[in-house]
Amino acid sequence: MSDLTSQLIALANDIGGDTEFSRAGGGNASVKTDGVLHIKPSGVPLATLAAEDLVPLRIDVLLDALHSDEEVDGDPVRAAARRAQIGDAGGRRPSVEILFHALIPDPLVLHLHPLTANALTCNEDGPALAREILGDEAVWVDYIDPGVPLARGVEAARDAHAERTGRPAPGIVLLGNHGIIVSGATYDEVAERTRFLTDRIRAAIDAAPAPAPEAADDLPADRRDALVEAFRTALGSEATASSCEGHARTSSSAQAGPVSRGPLIPDQIVYSGSFPLVLAGDEDEAGVTAAVAAFREAHGRAPIVAVVPGRLVIAAGDSPAAAQNALATYLDALRVAADADRIGRVRVMDERERHFIENWEAEAYRRSVAKEG
Ligand SMILES: [Zn+2]
């Protein structure tokens, strides 16, 4: 294992183990040695990433794919990954984000969906706030669909930044409604940049006035239990998870972005759904069932999360872990939106951006089912 590889694994484990920066399989990490990109496969958490998990891909092949306009069969990132792959991946699949890892020249690249930084990236005032808070130390990229379009957007924004400042692009890239890319030559450099941007953005949030907390009455425990069980039954789910404290109370008003306006980042769509089912809190079982049916009718799919604004958040899933992850992802979104509103106004993904992920996910799901069948 090269020294750079051990530094990457340490970074992934140290930073990825913190839910501020990464949850479940989210985020990504890569190291470049001798023209080869070694990248975390999909589905492996950063927190437990080991050197033997890394998938080796030829950087020149990836960059050719990034810059080529040739039509390819199927998903262009998958096609590029197949051509760039060195040896047998043994079922490990490199992520859709390989291309932006390849184009950043720094040897160590970490990609995260961090909660503090996303208060800035998920913001209507994102570009102006980024300049104000991070100056020329960060490159801003507006939200772009994942895969080739995003990688090209990152490259164009880095080039424009270098052109404007007359210096090489900095090791911080802010991805609108998505997350961050932090890169560098050593563990210390990447860790320091991650700390720097997080501290600066945290300080800006803390310096902005906090909204007066809205005081919704507590839901009685038996009402809560009845709603959770009615939601589970209406969906036919195996498991639920719920919260009636913290951001489930303080940041879940009917006006909150993730409650009424839409999702903040693609991961939220994948794990918690684009919109929650909003309940009044006084529904009986038939009322919850009717609300779920109306939601299906309106959105073409079942809800994963239900919210009683200011009082309760419920998530359902096929397993306790899935329900827990859906809940945690949604509570993260509530926190990010509340922080975003403090320093500006939260930007939710628009309808076109949302539909792309919803359909893209469905497509990925269909492919995975087809493969197993
Ligand atoms: Zn990402």
Side-chain angles (χ1 to χ4, degrees):
M1 193 197 307
S2 81
D3 180 47
L4 267 176
T5 304
S6 21
Q7 292 188 52
L8 179 81
I9 298 300
L11 268 175
N13 296 165
D14 293 351
I15 294 177
D18 183 344
T19 53
E20 155 70 29
F21 292 106
S22 172
R23 201 177 279 291
N28 211 325
S30 70
V31 56
K32 298 180 190 73
T33 54
D34 303 322
V36 178
L37 179 78
H38 303 264
I39 190 161
K40 177 183 96 66
S42 287
V44 175
L46 286 170
T48 58
L49 183 69
E52 53 272 24
D53 294 326
L54 298 172
V55 180
L57 302 165
R58 282 179 51 186
I59 293 173
D60 57 345
V61 176
L62 294 177
L63 294 182
D64 277 353
L66 176 65
H67 299 133
S68 157
D69 284 320
E70 235 173 90
E71 283 288 318
V72 294
D73 225 21
D75 178 59
V77 178
R78 293 259 171 277
R82 267 195 306 275
R83 275 183 281 127
Q85 180 119 8
I86 301 169
D88 180 13
R92 290 168 300 166
R93 232 162 27 103
S95 93
V96 65
E97 290 165 340
I98 51 178
L99 294 179
F100 68 64
H101 284 259
L103 71 87
I104 292 174
D106 287 321
L108 299 171
V109 178
L110 207 54
H111 164 58
L112 305 162
H113 308 147
L115 303 185
T116 298
N118 273 355
L120 196 166
T121 71
C122 303
N123 211 300
E124 299 281 4
D125 306 325
L129 284 166
R131 264 195 309 279
E132 191 184 310
I133 297 170
L134 299 167
D136 282 338
E137 302 305 314
V139 174
W140 174 270
V141 183
D142 281 334
Y143 182 85
I144 312 179
D145 294 334
V148 175
L150 175 57
R152 287 183 177 168
V154 169
E155 187 167 55
R158 282 174 51 90
D159 289 350
H161 192 284
E163 176 97 346
R164 181 173 61 75
T165 60
R167 292 187 292 132
I172 299 174
V173 180
L174 304 169
L175 305 174
N177 286 94
H178 182 163
I180 62 168
I181 307 168
V182 190
S183 60
T186 62
Y187 176 104
D188 289 341
E189 211 167 69
V190 177
E192 171 50 33
R193 284 172 182 162
T194 306
R195 214 174 5 249
F196 163 79
L197 80 96
T198 306
D199 290 353
R200 283 280 183 98
I201 298 169
R202 188 73 249 164
I205 295 166
D206 290 342
E214 286 178 48
D217 296 341
D218 259 330
L219 274 180
D222 57 341
R223 192 82 280 281
R224 232 156 47 208
D225 294 348
L227 286 168
V228 170
E229 183 52 22
F231 187 52
R232 194 192 65 73
T233 308
L235 292 173
S237 299
E238 288 295 317
T240 54
S242 65
S243 173
C244 55
E245 49 196 31
H247 291 284
R249 273 185 73 87
T250 57
S251 310
S252 73
S253 77
Q255 294 76 42
V259 177
S260 60
R261 289 170 43 223
L264 270 49
I265 64 171
D267 269 18
Q268 188 192 337
I269 299 178
V270 174
Y271 296 117
S272 310
S274 289
F275 289 94
L277 171 67
V278 178
L279 297 171
D282 58 0
E283 293 89 346
D284 59 9
E285 196 179 318
V288 174
T289 301
V292 167
F295 184 101
R296 276 187 206 270
E297 187 68 36
H299 296 272
R301 65 192 71 214
I304 301 171
V305 168
V307 176
V308 181
R311 298 167 120 189
L312 175 67
V313 175
I314 313 167
D318 294 338
S319 66
Q324 199 57 55
N325 190 47
L327 176 68
T329 301
Y330 191 74
L331 295 177
D332 284 351
L334 291 176
R335 175 190 141 179
V336 170
D339 283 345
D341 281 336
R342 262 176 90 169
I343 53 173
R345 174 167 160 80
V346 66
R347 178 186 188 275
V348 299
M349 292 170 69
D350 70 27
E351 193 175 324
R352 193 208 60 77
E353 295 163 355
R354 191 157 51 72
H355 284 167
F356 182 91
I357 300 293
E358 288 167 349
N359 298 326
W360 181 60
E361 270 306 306
E363 188 49 45
Y365 177 74
R366 272 193 292 276
R367 265 203 307 272
S368 76
V369 173
K371 222 178 282 165
E372 281 161 25

